[in-house]
Amino acid sequence: MATDWLGSVVSINCGLTLGVYQGEVSSVDHASQTISLRQPYHNGIRCPVPEVTFSAMDIKELKILDIQNTVNKPISVQGAAAEAGSIPSGRHGQSNRITSTHATSSNSQSSTAPITILRRGSSNSRVATQAAPKRNSVRNGGAGGPMKPKDDECFGDRTDEDMGADFDFEGNLALFDKAAVFSQIDGTNSNRAQHHSTQDEQKPLSYRHDENILEVKPVVYRQITVPQHGGKEYCTDSGLVVPSVTCELHKRLLAAAERWGLSLERRLETIGVCSSQMALTLLGGPNRLTPKNVHQRPTVVLLCGPHIQGAQGISCGRHLANHEVEVFLFLPNFLKMQESVTSEVNLYSRTGSKQVASVKDLPASPVDLVINCLDCHENLLLREQSWYQSAADWANQNRAPVLSIDPAVSEQHQAVEAKWTLSLGLPLPLPKAESRVYLCDIGIPTLVFQEVGIRYHSPFGCKFVIPLHQA
C-alpha cells in the first residue's frame, strides 16, 4: 500500500535543527523506516540535490499536501502516514543531529547525487560523507538553453499548482461580531475605571513638572502704591500695575537716593549701561553686531542738551561706542554746561567717536537710530531756542526711529516724535502718543522708596529694562 502514496506532495517537519522539507514522495522503505522526497525544498528554498531521504526517528510531523495516483481515498494525515510505511514521529528529548551520506555511480555523468538523511546511532546509519553539488558554469540552463523565468528561478516549479483558492476576506469579516466585542471592551474599561478611581482616592495628588506643589498666596498685581498719583497707570507683561508719579515726587525720590549714596555719577553710569543695552537690542543685537559684519557697523546719532538729561545720553553714547557702534554726538558748544556734562564729554572723547556742534555736520543719509536727550525737566524754555528747534527738525526729517531717554513732561506736543520712550525708576505721566514706554531700573533701594512714601516692590524680575503698557 505504500506504493499508492508515491508521487504525493508532503511536508515533513524535522524540528528546529533540521527544519521543514517539502517534496514529492519517491520511495518508502519499510525495512529501514525511511521515506525519500524528489525535488525537495528546505524551509522554502530549493535544495541543490535531486532527492532527500529521512529516517522515521527524525520526523516530528508529516502532512500530505497533494495526493497523486489515488481514487476515492480519505485524506488524513494520520492515515496517510500509516499507509505510507507507518512512519512514527520523533520522540521528544532526543538529539536532532543528522548524518548525510550519498551514493555515487561509477558510470554516472551527473554532477549531483541523492542525499540521505539518517539519525546518528540508528541501525541504518552509514559512514558520514558529504558531497557538495557542482554548479554549472553557465547560469539558467547552459549556454544554448533558454533562460528560466525569474519566478521559476526563485520559487521553482509547481508553485502555482499547489496554491489553493483565494481567501474570502468579506466572508471572514462577516463572522466578526463587532457589537459583542465592543460591549466586552466597554465593560472592561468601566471595570478598570472603577478600579483606578478607587486607587486615585487612596493615592495623593500628583503634579506636573510645571506646577507648584507648595500652597501659595494669591498674586497681588498692585504691589506699588504712591502717595501722589501721577494720573496714569501702566502694567508689565506679567500684569503688575506700575503707577506714574508726578515730577515733584520723582525729584524727591532722586534726592533721597543721593543722600543714601546713589550719587549722580553712579546714576548716570547705570542709566548709560541700561539705555545702551536697549539701543543695542533695537539695532539688531547679535544678528547685527558680529565680527563678520564689521563693514556694516550701525550708526547712531545722539542729540543732547547741556543738562543732566544730556549727560545721560552722552553716557549711553560712550557705551555704544565701546561696542563698535559708530556714534555722532550733537552738543552745542556755545552754551554753559553743567559739570556732569563736561565729565561725560571728556570720557566720550576717549572713545574716538565724532562730536559736532551744528546740525549741518550730522549725517545727511538716514542712520540706524536717533537718541533724543534734548529735553530738560527744569527748563522747558529750551525748546524755543534755535539750536533745539534745528536739532528737532533734523530728527523728524530723518527716516531713522527715535529713542527718547527721560523726556520732559509738558502739556505741549513733544518736539521730537519718538518711537520708544525710556523712563527712569518710575514712569512720569507722559502725554498720550504712539511712543512705546519702557522702564529702566536705576538701582534705587526699596527703603529709599519707603522714605518718600512709596510702597514699592520691584516689577523688573530678571531684567533691567521692561516694557510698559497702558492699563
Side-chain angles (χ1 to χ4, degrees), residues 16-55:
L16 298 177
T17 304
L18 299 180
V20 180
Y21 288 81
Q22 295 90 19
E24 182 180 345
V25 178
S26 60
S27 64
V28 177
D29 191 352
H30 288 282
S32 60
Q33 289 290 294
T34 59
I35 183 172
S36 300
L37 300 183
R38 184 188 302 113
Q39 303 294 332
Y41 286 82
H42 180 219
N43 294 333
I45 301 176
R46 183 69 174 269
C47 294
V49 294
E51 187 174 299
V52 180
T53 302
F54 300 90
S55 174

Side-chain angles (χ1 to χ4, degrees), residues 46 54 58 194 225 297 313 326 328 331 364 432 439 461 470:
R46 183 69 174 269
F54 300 90
D58 290 330
Q194 294 177 1
T225 58
R297 294 172 55 189
E326 188 176 1
F328 288 85
L331 181 64
K432 186 176 182 181
L439 187 63
Q470 290 283 350

Side-chain angles (χ1 to χ4, degrees), residues 97-388:
R97 297 179 182 178
I98 63 172
T99 302
S100 301
T101 62
H102 71 283
T104 58
S105 175
S106 59
N107 58 355
S108 175
Q109 301 296 329
S110 174
S111 60
T112 60
I115 180 171
T116 302
I117 301 178
L118 297 177
R119 181 178 179 82
R120 176 175 296 178
S122 63
S123 59
N124 296 322
S125 62
R126 293 187 293 268
V127 181
T129 57
Q130 174 107 18
K134 297 181 180 180
R135 295 184 179 180
N136 199 334
S137 58
V138 181
R139 297 182 58 187
N140 299 329
M147 298 181 61
K148 294 183 179 180
K150 291 185 177 180
D151 290 344
D152 294 343
E153 184 178 348
C154 295
F155 305 103
D157 299 333
R158 303 175 59 86
T159 303
D160 296 336
E161 299 177 1
D162 298 336
M163 294 182 64
D166 294 339
F167 183 76
D168 188 3
F169 288 95
E170 295 182 358
N172 186 71
L173 185 60
L175 300 177
F176 178 66
D177 191 355
K178 296 182 180 179
V181 173
F182 281 113
S183 62
Q184 183 180 0
I185 294 175
D186 294 338
T188 304
N189 292 338
S190 62
N191 295 334
R192 290 182 179 178
Q194 294 177 1
H195 178 68
H196 286 302
S197 62
T198 305
Q199 289 184 345
D200 293 341
E201 294 177 357
Q202 299 176 357
K203 291 183 178 179
L205 295 177
S206 59
Y207 298 88
R208 298 196 309 268
H209 68 281
D210 58 344
E211 290 183 336
N212 192 355
I213 63 174
L214 302 178
E215 295 183 1
V216 295
K217 298 180 180 180
V219 180
V220 179
Y221 291 99
R222 189 176 295 274
Q223 301 179 356
I224 302 175
T225 58
V226 295
Q228 301 175 6
H229 202 280
K232 286 190 175 183
E233 285 188 346
Y234 301 90
C235 63
T236 63
D237 291 338
S238 58
L240 298 178
V241 178
V242 181
S244 63
V245 295
T246 61
C247 294
E248 180 182 358
L249 183 58
H250 197 268
K251 291 178 183 178
R252 289 170 50 195
L253 178 63
L254 296 180
E258 289 185 13
R259 290 196 304 269
W260 286 101
L262 187 60
S263 61
L264 177 61
E265 290 77 11
R266 298 179 66 176
R267 192 169 77 240
L268 290 177
E269 190 68 17
T270 303
I271 296 172
V273 171
C274 294
S275 58
S276 62
Q277 183 63 52
M278 179 179 177
L280 291 173
T281 304
L282 297 176
L283 291 172
N287 298 325
R288 181 75 181 275
L289 300 169
T290 59
K292 298 181 180 180
N293 198 25
V294 181
H295 62 288
Q296 290 181 344
R297 294 172 55 189
T299 303
V300 176
V301 173
L302 287 165
L303 303 179
C304 301
H307 39 66
I308 295 178
Q309 283 70 29
Q312 295 172 169
I314 299 172
S315 176
C316 175
R318 170 166 55 86
H319 289 287
L320 290 177
N322 292 338
H323 286 266
E324 302 298 328
V325 177
E326 188 176 1
V327 181
F328 288 85
L329 172 60
F330 167 78
L331 181 64
N333 56 5
F334 59 88
L335 298 175
K336 183 180 179 180
M337 295 182 292
Q338 297 183 6
E339 182 180 356
S340 59
V341 178
T342 304
S343 61
E344 289 295 333
V345 170
N346 292 334
L347 284 175
Y348 173 81
S349 62
R350 298 296 92 191
T351 62
S353 300
K354 298 180 182 180
Q355 178 181 350
V356 298
S358 175
V359 177
K360 298 179 181 179
D361 299 329
L362 291 176
S365 59
V367 296
D368 294 280
L369 182 65
V370 175
I371 299 178
N372 174 32
C373 299
L374 296 174
D375 295 316
C376 178
H377 295 280
E378 291 79 12
N379 187 7
L380 298 178
L381 298 178
L382 292 177
R383 296 184 176 183
E384 300 178 0
Q385 298 184 11
S386 59
W387 64 269
Y388 186 102

Side-chain angles (χ1 to χ4, degrees), residues 84-99:
S86 301
I87 301 177
S89 60
R91 293 186 299 273
H92 294 286
Q94 294 181 347
S95 174
N96 287 326
R97 297 179 182 178
I98 63 172
T99 302

Side-chain angles (χ1 to χ4, degrees), residues 67-78:
I67 302 176
Q68 302 291 338
N69 302 327
T70 59
V71 179
N72 297 327
K73 282 185 173 289
I75 301 176
S76 64
V77 176
Q78 292 81 359

